[in-house]
Amino acid sequence: MQWERPQALFGRKALTAEGWQEDVLVTLNASGSIDAVTPGAVAPAGIQQFDLLLPGINNVHSHVFQRAMVGLTETTSGEGKDNFWSWREVMYAFTRSLTPESIEATARALYIDLLKNGYTGVGEFHYIHHDGNGAPYADPAELSHRIIAAAQDTGIHLTHLPVMYESSNFGGAPAHAGQQRFVHSVDGYLKLVESLVKPCGDATITLGVAPHSLRAVTPESLATILQALPGLGLADCPVHMHIAEQVKEVEDCLAWSGQRPVEWLLQHHEVDARWCLVHATHLEADECTALAASNAVAGLCPTTEANLGDGIFPAEEYLQHGGRFGVGTDSQVCVSPWQELRQLEYVQRLIKRKRNVLFEAGKPSVGRTLFDRATLGGAQALGVRSGKIAAQHRADLLAISLEHPLLVQRQEDAILDTLIFALEPTITDVFVAGQHVIKDGHHPLEK
Ligand code: NGQ
Ligand code: ZN
């Protein structure tokens, strides 16, 4: 796709790295970064003007194929015992029918939906690698290439996270029949990653790694993969892992190691700003503090965590300790970052029976706190210099209409509070690395 690349944009309002500003001229360079941000500017003739410019949001956790099964797992077996693990069996059965073509088609449709809702990047936690019999495709990276093609065609930024999967539980229990499409040896996995270094060198594609979970990867394999990264030129790449999502998972980890999953990981590896710990739902107070201090990003997926009955992340305590987070669409039951942020706050209100829980010092607006944290944490987790309207940052931008009667009177942070808690924003235009991918609310690949 040949995208239009404007040389400058003008926002009557914009949330820049300096805060709320008016009449902001954002100039872009040919490599897709912001050159300069000038408030109080006069719009040059012929430039496109928008009501409001916001930084784009990066979706830190996506399993693309699960988009095709939304709405198909909300029927009970009738015994009142449906849970995460029974959902997972349904999901495994669903994966049997997936083909390279269907996965690519699902990815295109999903990525367009993500862009239209304000996600400018996606962290694709990609774990179906093999054919329906568990045999590698002629090109073992076939399905990675399908995902990459969908991202390139739709214009979304992709942080591709090929997943290492080998076991069905802690202690290296063998993978089940339903997991055969995911499984690699460490050697096979590292070859896959190596083969993706070049295809992911593009300006809008980043490569990272994803050991699926401490359940699915042995300590030896995890250590080998992490040690191999510098040799692949990936010393600083994003490292994503599911962790402590379910109570049973915590119990199994305790039985195996005497430690809880986050406790184990923090003790055995140098978890730093490269890492995104997905869910990290079940944390003791000291794990919460230590995770916040590690500078890793917690990859929160509030609508999926609710849908799957995971539990509640201790967001208030985590934020009080300066913890970083991003939001992800995970099982794809919801593709709106605004709803993820609302759900994150509402769950805290319900369990704490109070209001306005998630805020940071000097930032009393909950909407502003949530938005700032999710944009910064999302960019960090995806390994992109994005998430801020500032010079030298990627031009990942959302243009939002303020025509709705409720928004006409709103100023500054109250705009974000209204968009997150009361309205779905009308996103008219989206730019990814300066490319104009959504125009007047539409993507060119939509019918
Ligand atoms: C996944 N999803 O990889 O799709 C997982 C389920 C698992 C979430 N954890 C499989 N939400 O964790 O074993
Ligand atoms: Zn997941």
Side-chain angles (χ1 to χ4, degrees), residues 267-284:
Q267 193 184 88
H268 288 82
H269 289 282
E270 207 160 308
V271 173
D272 56 21
R274 292 174 304 154
W275 286 73
C276 178
L277 272 59
V278 181
H279 308 301
T281 310
H282 299 286
L283 298 176
E284 297 284 0

Side-chain angles (χ1 to χ4, degrees), residues 63 66 84 87-88 91-92 127 165 212 215 242 245 279 304 308 330:
H63 304 293
Q66 292 177 15
F84 173 89
W87 167 85
R88 198 174 74 154
M91 185 268 280
Y92 285 171
Y127 68 92
Y165 203 108
H212 181 277
R215 293 179 267 123
H242 291 121
E245 181 179 10
H279 308 301
T304 291
L308 298 180
D330 193 355

Side-chain angles (χ1 to χ4, degrees), residues 79-97:
E79 291 165 14
K81 289 186 184 154
D82 296 355
N83 62 16
F84 173 89
W85 307 102
S86 59
W87 167 85
R88 198 174 74 154
E89 289 305 319
V90 177
M91 185 268 280
Y92 285 171
F94 183 78
T95 63
R96 275 190 230 127
S97 63

Side-chain angles (χ1 to χ4, degrees), residues 287-309:
E287 291 178 294
C288 180
T289 319
L291 179 55
S294 75
N295 291 334
V297 170
L300 306 179
C301 308
T303 63
T304 291
E305 289 153 11
N307 186 277
L308 298 180

Side-chain angles (χ1 to χ4, degrees), residues 43-297:
I47 198 175
Q48 200 163 7
Q49 297 192 28
F50 299 104
D51 288 349
L52 170 64
L53 292 176
L54 293 177
I57 302 165
N58 286 289
N59 172 1
V60 302
H61 190 68
S62 159
H63 304 293
V64 90
F65 72 91
Q66 292 177 15
R67 182 63 168 168
M69 57 180 272
V70 294
L72 301 179
T73 63
E74 312 301 332
T75 303
T76 176
S77 63
E79 291 165 14
K81 289 186 184 154
D82 296 355
N83 62 16
F84 173 89
W85 307 102
S86 59
W87 167 85
R88 198 174 74 154
E89 289 305 319
V90 177
M91 185 268 280
Y92 285 171
F94 183 78
T95 63
R96 275 190 230 127
S97 63
L98 301 174
T99 64
E101 293 72 24
S102 71
I103 290 173
E104 184 173 336
T106 303
R108 270 168 218 268
L110 174 70
Y111 293 166
I112 292 169
D113 279 345
L114 295 180
L115 287 166
K116 289 172 75 176
N117 280 279
Y119 285 120
T120 48
V122 58
E124 186 58 44
F125 200 101
H126 172 74
Y127 68 92
I128 302 184
H129 301 292
H130 310 311
D131 74 14
N133 299 316
Y137 287 98
D139 175 355
E142 170 76 28
L143 296 181
S144 284
H145 289 302
R146 298 289 182 155
I147 300 289
I148 291 168
Q152 284 176 326
D153 288 352
T154 57
I156 199 164
H157 172 87
L158 173 71
T159 291
H160 188 53
L161 302 160
V163 171
M164 171 66 191
Y165 203 108
E166 62 186 332
S167 55
S168 62
N169 210 346
F170 297 95
H176 298 156
Q179 298 164 336
Q180 295 308 319
R181 295 192 76 172
F182 321 152
V183 171
H184 274 115
S185 65
V186 175
D187 273 1
Y189 176 71
L190 289 174
K191 283 205 183 91
L192 171 72
V193 173
E194 190 174 9
S195 80
L196 291 167
V197 169
K198 242 206 187 133
C200 293
D202 190 285
T204 55
I205 308 180
T206 303
L207 182 62
V209 293
H212 181 277
S213 55
L214 295 175
R215 293 179 267 123
V217 179
T218 64
E220 296 73 29
S221 300
L222 178 58
T224 307
I225 290 165
L226 294 172
Q227 280 158 14
L229 294 178
L232 295 168
L234 297 172
D236 297 320
C237 83
V239 181
H240 287 223
M241 179 187 251
H242 291 121
I243 199 156
E245 181 179 10
Q246 283 282 316
V247 169
K248 176 183 180 299
E249 176 184 355
V250 176
E251 289 169 354
D252 290 351
C253 189
L254 277 165
W256 163 68
S257 69
Q259 288 182 305
R260 303 165 59 83
V262 170
E263 182 187 10
W264 187 94
L265 185 69
L266 292 175
Q267 193 184 88
H268 288 82
H269 289 282
E270 207 160 308
V271 173
D272 56 21
R274 292 174 304 154
W275 286 73
C276 178
L277 272 59
V278 181
H279 308 301
T281 310
H282 299 286
L283 298 176
E284 297 284 0
D286 50 353
E287 291 178 294
C288 180
T289 319
L291 179 55
S294 75
N295 291 334
V297 170

